[in-house]
Amino acid sequence: MSKQIKLKKGFDIRLVGKAEKKIGDFQSVKTFAIKPTDFIGMQRPKVIVKEGDTVKAGSPILFDKKLEKVQYVAPVSGEIVEIKRGEKRALLEIKILADSEINFEDFEKYTDADIAAASREKLVDHMTATGVWPQIIQRPYGVVANPEDEPKNIFISGFDTHPLAPDYDFLFKGQANYFQAGINVLKKLTEGKIYLGLSGESKSSEFANIQGVETNYFSGPHPSGNVGVQIHHIAPINKGETIWTLNPYGVVQIGKLFTNGQYDASKLIALTGSEIKTPVYAQTYIGSCVDSYVAGNTKTDNIRVISGNVLTGEKINRDGYLGFYDHQLTLIPEGDYYEFLGWMKPTTEKLSYHKALGLLSFLNPKKEYVLDSNVRGEERAFVQTGVFESVTPMDIYPVYLLKAIMAEDFDEMEELGIYEVIEEDLALCEFVDVSKHPVQEIVRKGIELIQFS
């Protein structure tokens, strides 16, 4: 039975630059890259190609020695033009010069009856060998799931509430049949339920009629679209339990693999932010170079390019590569300046959660803002104000959890909910923090302390 859950805690960061629901005409992207840094927890990547090799979409190029069964594959066909390494030969990127026409590895096709008759082991082996398995993320820890585990439940969030987030109904329009096929596969991987979270404020959804899932509706400010928040309110994680999560894109990709017998890495991404001339959507593939979308398409030169959203995304170069899990590219002004006593100047041009002297944004709650990357301050004493709790719609105490992590108090971390969160769940705390702490870095430190203890 579905639930209607209204969340009051949280905060919507309203920015200029929402993508218009149309697909722009851009120059073809020539290079693509797989970045091991996109896969949190990957410790010992092993490259199985060399420069000059030719690959097809779906050809294995990389695996993690810790999970050798899981293959990371090429998103497009073409030539391996660079295997880029950093300090101590750490693997940074595997770059592919794409063919003008994408050629695919041919994999086995499955009908609905084939999926129903197949064993769990066979389905898992097929998914790990063909590149779709990294779409499955494990909670706790927020890492690529271990195929040897069996999850208690599987959760999918069917909407996104991050700043300038893409519209999922537009992103996955016409792909409900692939989504259903993906659900049919996932049902074989757990004895528990598959939970689908949809927006309670949307009039319709591309996934509203999907079978084999328990659909729940969430409304309220960000982070109501976060799968971690949805897990917390439907079936919370307890110590020793494992839950798997997927983005709808991952479910669709699984469905395409089993239906068409191809690793299809094509995707729509939203080009957003105040500094982009034409905020629209672009058709591309996983790991695309963003130069085609940035060059000649910015209002100014002094910008920050972010793969993802402004809360949890990664800063990249103008010729950098889109993250594996990202469906959004955001361009905002670079905040490389100092503003003397800027926080004291009365203005309506700055957005703040706090009704402070210099920030009057609360007088116009619907206004959209042009915000830059300036944090306007430096790290200082960790002040207990209660504001973290007001933007975290979960029954945890964020400040005490963060302090327990900083003190490396394992018992306190467990009691205060470390198993329930990853970085994105407390990203708003970093935005509203007057003490300017790197909240998401602290959360990841805590997760790693628990995971490897």
Side-chain angles (χ1 to χ4, degrees):
M1 182 177 178
S2 65
K3 298 181 180 179
Q4 299 274 349
I5 299 175
K6 172 69 175 178
L7 301 176
K8 296 182 179 179
K9 294 182 178 180
F11 185 61
D12 288 327
I13 301 176
R14 301 172 300 279
L15 302 180
V16 171
K18 185 81 171 177
E20 185 181 351
K21 293 181 185 178
K22 68 176 185 180
I23 300 175
D25 184 17
F26 295 94
Q27 208 172 27
S28 297
V29 178
K30 295 181 179 179
T31 59
F32 298 79
I34 291 296
K35 301 179 290 184
T37 51
D38 288 340
F39 309 105
I40 295 175
M42 180 180 281
Q43 296 178 321
R44 295 183 294 167
K46 173 68 175 178
V47 181
I48 53 180
V49 293
K50 60 182 182 296
E51 292 181 3
D53 285 354
T54 57
V55 294
K56 294 181 179 180
S59 297
I61 60 174
L62 171 73
F63 67 87
D64 186 355
K65 290 182 180 179
K66 190 179 67 173
L67 286 177
E68 294 189 8
K69 190 175 184 179
V70 179
Q71 299 292 314
Y72 297 80
V73 303
V76 294
S77 61
E79 179 186 355
I80 304 293
V81 292
E82 184 181 3
I83 298 174
K84 186 177 180 180
R85 296 184 180 274
E87 294 183 6
K88 299 181 180 179
R89 291 189 54 77
L91 181 61
L92 301 179
E93 296 172 344
I94 301 177
K95 297 182 182 179
I96 303 170
L97 178 62
D99 293 333
S100 57
E101 184 176 342
I102 304 302
N103 298 303
F104 295 88
E105 294 280 4
D106 291 323
F107 300 117
E108 184 179 357
K109 298 180 182 179
Y110 286 69
T111 64
D112 289 344
D114 292 333
I115 294 171
S119 67
R120 183 184 189 276
E121 182 181 9
K122 182 179 180 181
L123 296 178
V124 169
D125 288 345
H126 189 55
M127 294 169 66
T128 54
T130 53
V132 298
W133 189 266
Q135 296 289 349
I136 304 177
I137 302 299
Q138 170 193 312
R139 296 287 188 106
Y141 312 135
V143 298
V144 173
N146 187 335
E148 303 301 324
D149 295 338
E150 184 170 336
K152 176 184 175 184
N153 299 302
I154 297 175
F155 276 80
I156 304 157
S157 178
F159 67 110
D160 192 347
T161 53
H162 283 96
L164 301 176
D167 185 309
Y168 276 13
D169 287 338
F170 185 78
L171 220 58
F172 304 111
K173 186 176 181 180
Q175 301 193 54
N177 59 323
Y178 291 123
F179 189 89
Q180 183 65 70
I183 292 294
N184 294 342
V185 173
L186 293 170
K187 284 169 60 180
K188 302 277 294 197
L189 306 187
T190 178
E191 294 293 330
K193 294 182 178 181
I194 298 179
Y195 293 98
L196 175 62
L198 297 180
S199 172
E201 299 171 356
S202 176
K203 295 181 180 178
S204 64
S205 171
E206 190 74 16
F207 309 130
N209 298 315
I210 296 298
Q211 304 298 310
V213 300
E214 181 178 303
T215 304
N216 298 288
Y217 293 88
F218 295 82
S219 57
H222 181 68
S224 60
N226 280 12
V227 70
V229 172
Q230 296 173 17
I231 292 170
H232 178 85
H233 288 275
I234 299 298
I237 303 174
N238 297 312
K239 183 179 180 180
E241 295 178 341
T242 298
I243 287 176
W244 287 353
T245 70
L246 293 92
N247 183 276
Y249 176 82
V251 184
V252 168
Q253 193 180 47
I254 292 169
K256 287 180 177 179
L257 170 69
F258 280 83
T259 302
N260 301 333
Q262 294 178 339
Y263 176 79
D264 188 347
S266 62
K267 62 163 51 177
L268 269 182
I269 62 170
L271 309 179
T272 66
S274 61
E275 302 312 295
I276 197 162
K277 289 180 181 178
T278 54
V280 291
Y281 288 78
Q283 184 70 58
T284 188
Y285 293 85
I286 286 174
S288 62
C289 182
V290 303
D291 179 62
S292 296
Y293 314 124
V294 176
N297 195 24
T298 61
K299 296 178 181 178
T300 61
D301 291 330
N302 193 28
I303 60 170
R304 175 168 295 194
V305 181
I306 301 170
S307 177
N309 62 77
V310 294
L311 278 179
T312 63
E314 176 191 10
K315 177 184 176 182
I316 60 175
N317 296 327
R318 289 170 178 254
D319 59 351
Y321 293 87
L322 193 73
F324 184 87
Y325 298 102
D326 294 331
H327 299 85
Q328 179 181 357
L329 184 71
T330 308
L331 275 62
I332 61 173
E334 187 62 78
D336 52 354
Y337 63 90
Y338 175 72
E339 186 178 10
F340 181 67
L341 296 180
W343 62 275
M344 292 186 64
K345 299 175 184 177
T347 179
T348 59
E349 299 306 313
K350 295 178 183 177
L351 174 66
S352 176
Y353 181 77
H354 308 275
K355 295 180 181 179
L357 173 64
L359 302 171
L360 305 176
S361 56
F362 66 91
L363 296 176
N364 189 357
K366 299 295 184 181
K367 182 177 178 178
E368 295 179 342
Y369 294 84
V370 176
L371 301 184
D372 57 41
S373 61
N374 195 315
V375 297
R376 293 179 172 81
E378 58 186 17
E379 191 172 327
R380 57 196 73 131
F382 211 148
V383 180
Q384 170 68 15
T385 63
V387 69
F388 282 17
E389 288 75 12
S390 67
V391 296
T392 307
M394 305 169 76
D395 293 329
I396 63 174
Y397 296 98
V399 172
Y400 293 108
L401 172 59
L402 294 170
K403 288 185 175 182
I405 294 170
M406 295 167 75
E408 298 188 6
D409 188 327
F410 289 77
D411 292 336
E412 281 291 302
M413 280 190 273
E414 291 184 355
E415 292 178 7
L416 290 167
I418 189 66
Y419 294 113
E420 292 207 60
V421 299
I422 62 172
E423 294 92 324
E424 68 175 20
D425 298 315
L426 297 184
L428 265 180
C429 295
E430 189 166 317
F431 177 77
V432 303
D433 184 19
V434 297
S435 301
K436 311 298 180 182
H437 280 79
V439 171
Q440 294 179 77
E441 290 183 18
I442 296 172
V443 171
R444 178 48 54 182
K445 175 188 174 184
I447 290 171
E448 291 177 350
L449 286 171
I450 291 290
Q451 183 181 5
F452 301 117
S453 63

